[in-house]
Amino acid sequence: MAEHFHEDSVAAVAVRIDVEHPDGLIFDPHQPQLRVTDLGAVRGDGVFETMYAVEGRVRKIEAHLERLARSADILDISIPPAQSWRAAVELGFEEYRTRGALPDELTIKLVATRGVEGEPASDDPAFAGTYWALLSPVTEAMRATRGQPVGVTLLDRGYDSTAAERAPWLLLGAKSLSYAVNMASLRWARQHGFDDVIYTTSDGQVLEGPTSTVLIVTRGANGARRLTTPVLETGILPGTTQGAIFTAAEKAGWELGYGPLTPQDLLDADHLFLASSVRLVSPVARLDDAELAVDDELTAELIDLLAEDLPVNHPLD
Amino acid sequence: MAEHFHEDSVAAVAVRIDVEHPDGLIFDPHQPQLRVTDLGAVRGDGVFETMYAVEGRVRKIEAHLERLARSADILDISIPPAQSWRAAVELGFEEYRTRGALPDELTIKLVATRGVEGEPASDDPAFAGTYWALLSPVTEAMRATRGQPVGVTLLDRGYDSTAAERAPWLLLGAKSLSYAVNMASLRWARQHGFDDVIYTTSDGQVLEGPTSTVLIVTRGANGARRLTTPVLETGILPGTTQGAIFTAAEKAGWELGYGPLTPQDLLDADHLFLASSVRLVSPVARLDDAELAVDDELTAELIDLLAEDLPVNHPLD
């Protein structure tokens, strides 16, 4: 009985948003919900965010909703107002409570697609596409990897560092559903004995991971500790987790810096990390053939910074 | 009554393929069919083909099925055997006949996704993902554009001409569902007064259109007519329509050539065309600021070559 309850309480909860349900409507994610003509499903033509909630509070939700809106703007997809997304997430929390218990930690995915070609779901542009939130408990496996050292391979993203500025149609800087390359890069890494990937430009600049932001820690001549992340002009996503760490670190006396960074900068740094919303912070112990120093206390310190829940200096500001 | 019949007969027909229905099962494409956890829907993690059928015969189906299998192989997605796809298409035709009439011309989209993460649809790898065929009548609007001159803008695809060979994780050469950039490029073109796009590499080679293959016609010193298309090594899709034209053209005495091509080669050619399965052949009348010569007889001749229904010299051979 207890086990059955457990099983129910850890199932995923899904909430759709449409013009008749601007504050969300619960649906069963095990049942089909999307038509095969939805452009999200057949063209990767949509945007998403992956958020992290602890005890019913979504971390840095403003930064995620701003980035979702920015991605949608880049793809020219209209999406519901922030209030709808917030209400849908709250409805998801409420559904868990009704079922018995809200899991301590949830991954929350927000997705917006362009909808079905030629058949807007509503005359109201804010609700013309397909929109949903999917809440699922953070697995034990995911929790266990947090803060653990990872081996990373550098992979060429194909673009040079000026592509984002000269070719806006490439959608660099938008978190779109067209993620097949990111998934293929991770498969490639795993097939070659690595846990993760850091992309570089074809002209040798460091970009980001397929699902994470790159951070390095260095110590300046004056002994001050410094956090540095690559510049956004190369077309990387503005990292919400990196933004939250920066905000809290600055308050704690760290110096902050923004690239450009080269692979040599990563090797020369005291420490290298990947930051992402649910996995939080992963120290890189190996970058291709090079072993890197890992400092468990520093990793814990960065993870603690994320728990401070300060208003994020949004990276888009 | 006649109109009602007409409306029914022109609706789309959808056929899914799964381990229990390896020869297909009809479903209503207006009803939801995909879960929101399907990796095709949320990661663009799948592959597709768009085919063209005339009077119940799919043109160059072997070339499409081979390319689908090749794309799936690049993405490491297992798909049903060719026999299943053929049977599903036949079932779709039969459904139209049952409803009253098989439309003269159909667009047939084949889609295969990786399926739901961690929940293979079957233990049989060939049926572990999500698979369907969607048949829909070719619209009057589409028919009307066939053979009509188009204005095209050259857009930088971001990659250089060696990216495909050095970075297989970029999935160049696979027809994946991650098509947001292709769609954005077409929107960009239309916003700037063009009908279509030809991509170039960052180092100035001609690639392909977002949904078409580039062909040029030149006349050699000996007066022989020559068809040339870009080389595949740059990571473009092997064009099934280009392949069919080449097969028939060679039989009709044309010379054939394979790039590399530069934008200047396009301007210097006697004629420039975009080839695709349903739109067939479109002469390019304007390439950015340059006016190009259009020859209606030549366009008609190339379209006629496509009707010959010869076994295609498959471009992958």
Side-chain angles (χ1 to χ4, degrees):
Chain A
M1 190 64 190
E3 274 186 29
H4 183 240
F5 169 79
H6 177 73
E7 205 176 320
D8 275 348
S9 69
V10 300
V13 164
V15 188
R16 63 186 281 184
I17 299 170
D18 60 39
V19 73
E20 287 169 15
H21 308 94
D23 293 336
L25 177 71
I26 299 288
F27 69 92
D28 179 356
H30 294 92
Q31 296 301 317
Q33 183 71 12
L34 303 172
R35 287 166 57 180
V36 296
T37 45
D38 194 294
L39 292 166
V42 289
R43 294 292 197 187
D45 204 2
V47 296
F48 75 104
E49 283 293 319
T50 303
M51 314 193 295
Y52 173 50
V54 182
E55 292 170 2
R57 288 202 61 177
V58 182
R59 285 199 178 164
K60 55 190 164 60
I61 187 168
E62 293 83 4
H64 283 290
L65 290 174
E66 280 179 38
R67 194 170 66 178
L68 184 73
R70 179 170 179 259
S71 294
D73 194 48
I74 293 173
L75 268 77
D76 196 19
I77 290 176
S78 57
I79 63 171
Q83 173 53 30
S84 281
W85 296 101
R86 288 173 184 272
V89 170
E90 284 302 323
L91 186 64
F93 290 160
E94 203 48 45
E95 174 70 12
Y96 274 114
R97 292 189 191 103
T98 303
R99 291 187 192 178
L102 180 67
D104 283 352
E105 298 184 34
L106 288 167
T107 297
I108 303 174
K109 191 165 200 171
L110 307 180
V111 181
T113 87
R114 197 180 301 280
V116 175
E117 192 158 20
E119 295 183 34
S122 164
D123 292 336
D124 180 346
F127 297 95
T130 308
Y131 316 102
W132 73 89
L134 182 69
L135 295 75
S136 47
V138 176
T139 61
E140 265 314 309
M142 170 66 87
R143 292 191 206 210
T145 65
R146 279 206 193 117
Q148 294 305 305
V150 291
V152 170
T153 185
L154 292 165
L155 292 185
D156 182 345
R157 189 61 189 80
Y159 304 119
D160 66 53
S161 56
T162 65
E165 292 192 344
R166 71 171 191 269
W169 49 85
L170 298 179
L171 307 177
L172 298 176
K175 199 169 172 74
S176 89
L177 296 178
S178 286
Y179 240 53
V181 168
N182 302 49
M183 299 294 99
S185 302
L186 290 172
R187 280 196 305 278
W188 174 276
R190 282 156 197 165
Q191 284 161 2
H192 291 79
F194 296 92
D195 305 299
D196 214 325
V197 168
I198 292 176
Y199 286 126
T200 56
T201 61
S202 57
D203 53 345
Q205 281 199 32
V206 170
L207 290 170
E208 61 194 340
T211 63
S212 63
T213 308
V214 172
L215 290 179
I216 60 171
V217 173
T218 51
R219 198 172 278 274
N222 60 357
R225 296 188 300 175
R226 187 180 183 84
L227 276 167
T228 306
T229 194
V231 284
L232 293 181
E233 284 70 19
T234 48
I236 62 174
L237 288 184
T240 58
T241 304
Q242 166 266 317
I245 292 176
F246 268 39
T247 301
E250 187 166 40
K251 196 156 159 273
W254 290 66
E255 290 181 1
L256 305 179
Y258 294 88
L261 296 177
T262 65
Q264 191 59 47
D265 291 327
L266 304 189
L267 295 169
D268 291 345
D270 294 327
H271 303 285
L272 170 62
F273 295 93
L274 296 179
S276 54
S277 291
V278 182
R279 204 176 42 175
L280 305 180
V281 175
S282 301
V284 178
R286 185 161 62 100
L287 187 64
D288 286 323
D289 294 335
E291 304 290 326
L292 304 186
V294 168
D295 177 338
D296 290 340
E297 276 181 42
L298 177 60
T299 304
E301 188 179 344
L302 293 177
I303 289 177
D304 283 347
L305 287 177
L306 279 171
E308 291 200 17
D309 203 18
L310 300 167
V312 174
N313 274 333
H314 196 274
L316 299 180
D317 291 345
Chain B
M1 189 64 190
E3 275 185 29
H4 183 239
F5 170 79
H6 177 73
E7 203 174 321
D8 275 348
S9 68
V10 300
V13 164
V15 188
R16 63 184 282 182
I17 299 170
D18 59 39
V19 72
E20 287 169 16
H21 308 93
D23 293 336
L25 176 71
I26 299 288
F27 69 93
D28 179 356
H30 294 92
Q31 295 302 317
Q33 182 72 10
L34 302 171
R35 287 165 57 179
V36 295
T37 45
D38 195 294
L39 292 165
V42 288
R43 296 292 197 186
D45 203 2
V47 296
F48 76 103
E49 283 292 319
T50 303
M51 313 194 297
Y52 173 51
V54 182
E55 292 170 1
R57 288 202 60 179
V58 182
R59 284 199 178 164
K60 54 189 165 61
I61 188 167
E62 293 83 3
H64 283 290
L65 290 174
E66 279 179 39
R67 194 169 66 177
L68 184 73
R70 179 171 181 260
S71 295
D73 194 47
I74 293 174
L75 267 75
D76 196 20
I77 290 176
S78 58
I79 63 170
Q83 173 52 31
S84 281
W85 296 102
R86 288 173 184 273
V89 169
E90 284 302 323
L91 186 63
F93 290 160
E94 203 47 45
E95 174 70 12
Y96 274 115
R97 292 187 191 103
T98 303
R99 290 187 192 179
L102 180 67
D104 283 352
E105 298 185 35
L106 287 167
T107 297
I108 303 175
K109 189 164 199 169
L110 307 181
V111 182
T113 88
R114 197 180 301 281
V116 174
E117 190 158 20
E119 295 183 35
S122 164
D123 292 336
D124 181 346
F127 297 95
T130 308
Y131 316 103
W132 73 88
L134 181 70
L135 295 76
S136 48
V138 177
T139 60
E140 264 314 309
M142 170 67 87
R143 293 190 205 211
T145 66
R146 278 204 195 119
Q148 293 305 304
V150 291
V152 170
T153 185
L154 292 166
L155 292 185
D156 182 345
R157 189 61 186 80
Y159 304 118
D160 65 53
S161 56
T162 66
E165 292 193 343
R166 72 170 189 268
W169 50 86
L170 297 179
L171 307 177
L172 299 175
K175 198 169 173 76
S176 88
L177 297 179
S178 286
Y179 240 53
V181 168
N182 302 50
M183 299 295 98
S185 302
L186 289 172
R187 279 197 304 279
W188 175 276
R190 282 156 198 164
Q191 284 160 3
H192 291 79
F194 297 93
D195 304 299
D196 214 325
V197 169
I198 292 176
Y199 286 126
T200 56
T201 62
S202 57
D203 53 344
Q205 281 199 32
V206 171
L207 291 170
E208 61 195 339
T211 63
S212 63
T213 308
V214 172
L215 290 178
I216 61 172
V217 172
T218 52
R219 197 172 280 275
N222 60 357
R225 295 188 301 175
R226 185 179 183 83
L227 275 167
T228 305
T229 195
V231 284
L232 293 181
E233 285 69 18
T234 49
I236 62 174
L237 288 183
T240 57
T241 304
Q242 166 266 316
I245 291 175
F246 268 38
T247 301
E250 187 166 41
K251 194 156 161 273
W254 290 65
E255 291 181 1
L256 305 180
Y258 295 88
L261 296 177
T262 65
Q264 191 60 47
D265 291 327
L266 305 189
L267 295 170
D268 291 345
D270 294 329
H271 302 286
L272 171 62
F273 294 94
L274 295 179
S276 54
S277 291
V278 182
R279 204 174 44 176
L280 305 180
V281 175
S282 301
V284 178
R286 184 161 62 100
L287 186 64
D288 287 322
D289 294 336
E291 304 289 326
L292 304 186
V294 167
D295 177 338
D296 290 340
E297 277 182 40
L298 177 60
T299 303
E301 187 178 345
L302 293 177
I303 289 177
D304 284 348
L305 287 176
L306 279 171
E308 291 202 16
D309 202 17
L310 300 168
V312 173
N313 274 333
H314 196 273
L316 299 179
D317 292 345

